[in-house]
Amino acid sequence: MSKILIIEDTETIREELKTFLNTYGFDTKAPTNFEHIIQETLNEAPDLILLDINLPIFDGYYICREIRKQSDVPIIVVTSRDNEMDELMSMNLGADDFVTKPYNTQILLARIETILRRVQGSSMRDTLVYNDLKLNLSNGSVTYQGEKAELTKNEIKILSCLYKNKGKIVSRDDLMDFMWNADVFVDDNNLSVNVTRLRKKLEALGMEKNIETRRGLGYILP
Amino acid sequence: MTLKEYVKDRTVFLLTNFILFIIVGGIMLLVGINSQTVLLIFCIWFCPLILYMWIEYFKQKVFYDELTSITENLDQKYLLPEVMKEPETVEGKALYEVLRQANKDMHEHVKSYRDRENEYREYIETWIHEIKTPIASTRLIIENNQNDVTRNIQEEIKKIEEYIEQVLYYSRSNNVSKDYLIKEVPLVDLVRKVIKRNSRDFISKGISVNLEKVEGTVFSDAKWLEFILNQLIGNAIKYIRERNGKVIIHTVRNEHNIVLTIQDNGIGITEKDIHRVFEKGFTGENGRQFGKSTGIGLYLCKKLADQLGLGLTITSKAGEGTKVSIIFPLTNVNFMQ
């Protein structure tokens, strides 16, 4: 489990961000005392840092620079200052990414995952497993009890969205939104076609109970 | 200044002289001085007078003509007192002094307004950064407590964000050059980003989007472009009223420019309104019928596009849809690779 350190002085954001990241399977730490923030950060040895710029005592730029002197941990700067200069400055000080508030949480999550995948090597986060069904994101294939099938880009996106919401119903709108955010601008009909094809492929693998349609609600991977 | 005007200005002076001469000449004739002598006196009286006026006319003409031409050529006409030669005549000097005084006072006045405006602008920007924190918290709270209620709140929050962004760009729109960073902007990335920002609206209204023919790279400020494009795409979504809505985005590369066009099949704009859509506060027929129109969006887009050196054109047919094009000129700065 990857550990994310949240350096943020607004209490609501700190707490809600913790809850949010916990639900997506991250271990989180969020210091509340900023006096020895740099030492504390280094002691925690997180896998990734979410860093605000406007902080009491030291500002984010300073913290970023000081951490960089001693560690290569990935840093994502999260701030409400949104001009290009701040972005340039953050990058120059060694931040890995720059996200402006109020951020789209899914985008924040995607950036975190991208950076972690890059740092920790591709193998760790590229395979999703659920009920014997293995989805390999790097070569776009699914494996079920030894049988293997190739998926198209759209099918991979649909399946990975359902994976993320294991056992929960995903509404059509949410599923489409997920795909749009991954640059696949499907329309309603396309989505139905893609889901049907995906279902057939999974059936061909011998997986009898796969994606279910809940009328008026959406899809679910039971 | 023409001779006629000059003479007209001195009518009283000349008339007085003539009347005086007629009186003096009349008396002289009455007392029996012969008419030749009177004529001689006329010449002695009037020749130097006319000559003097002639010279003065030319002097004044040179002075005022120079003043007029300086004023015409000056970009900022209020700089005249700094540029003009100090006149030599008494009246000229007095006027020059008054002009300088007035100018100085005007400068101070303008400065106080400028300071006030800057202060206000800075306040607005600080306020916007501050309001973003509670909005970010709200978004996270919604994310952690997903249900129908919070989903509705999220929609409203998105609207609030859009309005806030509009305020930010409005306050910045008067001096774009202050935070302006020209970068290489691949149009397809920009368009995708904006589509994603509006994905919820597209999906919930069942609007399909087509951006297969978007290509090319321009040099411009990515943030400002994103704002403009977001306004335009937001409008397209807003004015699609029926199912089967379509938004088609494509680029055309011409010899001197790249044109990015956003086309929708919404309600369109009537012919009598179309020429006024870029006016500040203009809402037109659509604004009256559907409300929720502030008349700021397109005005701001046009203003920002002008400052970025981009063209913005709009064509529409009521009932069939609207086409908005951003024109990126291909100059030394703005070329495609």
Side-chain angles (χ1 to χ4, degrees):
Chain A
M1 197 188 273
S2 304
K3 182 151 107 189
I4 298 179
L5 189 78
I6 302 162
I7 305 180
E8 163 72 63
D9 63 331
T10 315
E11 196 188 334
T12 332
I13 294 191
R14 198 166 56 218
E15 294 307 316
E16 294 293 335
L17 208 50
K18 263 168 83 176
T19 318
F20 173 70
L21 292 173
N22 287 339
T23 30
Y24 281 88
F26 293 102
D27 184 15
T28 51
K29 275 274 152 49
T32 49
N33 180 356
F34 295 94
E35 211 144 333
H36 309 289
I37 190 73
I38 291 153
Q39 199 47 51
E40 202 169 327
T41 306
L42 293 170
N43 291 344
E44 285 288 351
D47 295 302
L48 187 137
I49 298 171
L50 291 180
L51 178 64
D52 188 16
I53 295 294
N54 292 316
L55 292 169
I57 308 173
F58 303 116
D59 80 352
Y61 295 133
Y62 176 81
I63 296 173
C64 189
R65 195 169 45 219
E66 290 304 307
I67 292 173
R68 263 295 161 271
K69 280 182 187 164
Q70 302 179 53
S71 162
D72 275 335
V73 55
I75 298 173
I76 299 181
V77 170
V78 179
T79 176
S80 62
R81 298 196 210 171
D82 76 331
N83 62 55
E84 306 271 353
M85 288 321 287
D86 285 313
E87 186 169 349
L88 267 180
M89 185 127 160
S90 310
M91 293 309 188
N92 282 340
L93 291 176
D96 294 82
D97 208 340
F98 183 88
V99 181
T100 48
K101 273 183 207 164
Y103 32 75
N104 178 322
T105 41
Q106 291 304 323
I107 287 176
L108 181 67
L109 202 62
R111 302 239 179 137
I112 291 175
E113 281 175 348
T114 311
I115 288 180
L116 285 178
R117 197 179 307 153
R118 200 173 61 218
V119 174
Q120 298 172 344
S122 55
S123 60
M124 270 186 72
R125 297 189 150 260
D126 270 7
T127 318
L128 302 171
V129 188
Y130 183 62
N131 283 359
D132 271 357
L133 185 68
K134 266 189 216 142
L135 172 62
N136 189 328
L137 291 173
S138 57
N139 63 13
S141 68
V142 277
T143 322
Y144 182 72
Q145 294 171 350
E147 297 281 328
K148 194 172 163 188
E150 302 292 324
L151 296 184
T152 64
K153 188 184 172 195
N154 293 5
E155 290 161 356
I156 296 168
K157 294 288 170 206
I158 294 172
L159 202 56
S160 58
C161 180
L162 292 173
Y163 260 106
K164 282 198 169 145
N165 295 281
K166 315 169 198 199
K168 275 190 286 181
I169 299 173
V170 183
S171 75
R172 285 180 68 90
D173 281 8
D174 285 346
L175 186 54
M176 270 172 86
D177 196 41
F178 178 85
M179 295 180 74
W180 281 45
N181 275 307
D183 287 337
V184 185
F185 304 109
V186 289
D187 62 20
D188 218 44
N189 294 333
N190 264 323
L191 182 71
S192 304
V193 173
N194 278 308
V195 170
T196 313
R197 276 204 205 123
L198 178 59
R199 207 179 266 149
K200 288 219 172 92
K201 277 187 187 174
L202 294 180
E203 272 167 23
L205 289 177
M207 190 179 181
E208 294 291 321
K209 267 182 68 183
N210 55 54
I211 305 167
E212 282 174 19
T213 311
R214 296 284 160 87
R215 258 197 121 64
L217 293 172
Y219 300 106
I220 184 168
L221 198 63
Chain B
M1 191 171 67
T2 62
L3 188 60
K4 207 174 145 193
E5 285 168 334
Y6 176 79
V7 174
K8 203 176 152 199
D9 213 35
R10 281 162 184 69
T11 320
V12 179
F13 175 71
L14 282 171
L15 223 60
T16 321
N17 274 282
F18 270 114
I19 292 165
L20 264 174
F21 178 76
I22 288 165
I23 295 168
V24 173
I27 293 168
M28 282 200 287
L29 283 177
L30 277 180
V31 295
I33 296 170
N34 70 18
S35 55
Q36 275 169 341
T37 317
V38 176
L39 198 69
L40 189 71
I41 289 173
F42 176 83
C43 290
I44 294 169
W45 188 320
F46 280 97
C47 281
L49 189 90
I50 302 284
L51 190 71
Y52 164 75
M53 282 178 71
W54 193 258
I55 292 166
E56 199 200 38
Y57 164 69
F58 273 106
K59 262 173 117 179
Q60 289 205 3
K61 187 174 164 54
V62 168
F63 177 74
Y64 283 111
D65 281 357
E66 195 188 315
L67 217 59
T68 322
S69 90
I70 292 175
T71 315
E72 267 168 16
N73 293 326
L74 266 181
D75 250 357
Q76 280 138 339
K77 307 219 184 295
Y78 61 83
L79 287 174
L80 180 71
E82 318 286 331
V83 181
M84 71 186 272
K85 259 189 287 176
E86 197 178 334
E88 284 154 13
T89 59
V90 181
E91 302 104 312
K93 272 186 180 148
L95 211 60
Y96 179 70
E97 206 39 55
V98 170
L99 211 57
R100 282 185 72 98
Q101 288 269 335
N103 206 33
K104 200 177 146 209
D105 193 52
M106 192 268 291
H107 275 302
E108 274 165 19
H109 214 59
V110 169
K111 188 177 174 294
S112 84
Y113 278 110
R114 195 180 298 138
D115 287 350
R116 221 183 289 176
E117 201 205 300
N118 279 345
E119 227 169 76
Y120 188 62
R121 190 185 111 116
E122 275 162 24
Y123 168 68
I124 291 278
E125 291 197 7
T126 320
W127 181 87
I128 285 167
H129 293 317
E130 275 166 12
I131 195 92
K132 277 182 180 173
T133 305
I135 290 180
S137 318
T138 315
R139 269 186 172 276
L140 281 167
I141 295 170
I142 291 169
E143 189 68 42
N144 291 332
N145 302 283
Q146 279 201 9
N147 57 45
D148 284 346
V149 176
T150 53
R151 210 171 302 236
N152 288 336
I153 296 175
Q154 183 160 7
E155 290 300 301
E156 300 303 313
I157 288 279
K158 186 175 172 269
K159 282 179 205 157
I160 293 178
E161 274 175 57
E162 306 262 301
Y163 283 125
I164 286 173
E165 193 185 32
Q166 212 176 56
V167 172
L168 181 65
Y169 280 84
Y170 187 89
S171 88
R172 283 178 178 176
S173 68
N174 283 324
N175 26 15
V176 175
S177 49
K178 264 195 179 170
D179 37 26
Y180 191 99
L181 199 74
I182 300 294
K183 274 199 308 202
E184 205 176 344
V185 185
L187 287 176
V188 71
D189 290 357
L190 179 77
V191 171
R192 277 190 180 154
K193 196 170 174 192
V194 177
I195 299 277
K196 283 188 216 168
R197 273 177 68 171
N198 294 287
S199 63
R200 280 279 163 193
D201 293 331
F202 274 108
I203 293 167
S204 66
K205 288 180 95 174
I207 301 169
S208 71
V209 63
N210 180 333
L211 36 97
E212 277 155 31
K213 289 197 188 103
V214 177
E215 52 196 13
T217 304
V218 293
F219 282 78
S220 196
D221 182 283
K223 268 211 162 73
W224 295 80
L225 268 187
E226 189 186 325
F227 174 79
I228 294 175
L229 200 59
N230 190 48
Q231 292 288 318
L232 299 179
I233 288 181
N235 276 352
I237 297 172
K238 192 155 113 188
Y239 293 114
I240 288 179
R241 295 278 147 178
E242 287 165 23
R243 284 272 145 186
N244 296 322
K246 270 197 194 88
V247 174
I248 301 167
I249 302 170
H250 67 270
T251 50
V252 175
R253 179 167 192 195
N254 301 315
E255 197 184 333
H256 300 293
N257 54 35
I258 297 179
V259 180
L260 176 74
T261 304
I262 299 124
Q263 189 180 349
D264 66 58
N265 60 351
I267 55 172
I269 303 164
T270 59
E271 202 156 319
K272 74 176 172 28
D273 283 354
I274 190 96
H275 305 291
R276 300 187 55 201
V277 290
F278 292 129
E279 285 174 26
K280 186 178 179 182
F282 181 75
T283 52
E285 194 61 40
N286 293 345
R288 271 193 292 282
Q289 259 180 288
F290 303 108
K292 277 197 206 160
S293 192
T294 53
I296 294 292
L298 280 178
Y299 159 76
L300 209 49
C301 286
K302 182 74 178 169
K303 194 169 171 186
L304 297 180
D306 284 348
Q307 299 213 31
L308 287 170
L310 310 175
L312 191 64
T313 60
I314 187 163
T315 55
S316 180
K317 243 191 178 151
E320 287 181 24
T322 308
K323 243 186 192 177
V324 193
S325 300
I326 307 175
I327 302 154
F328 299 91
L330 294 174
T331 56
N332 297 335
V333 199
N334 235 330
F335 61 86
M336 193 173 77
Q337 287 186 322

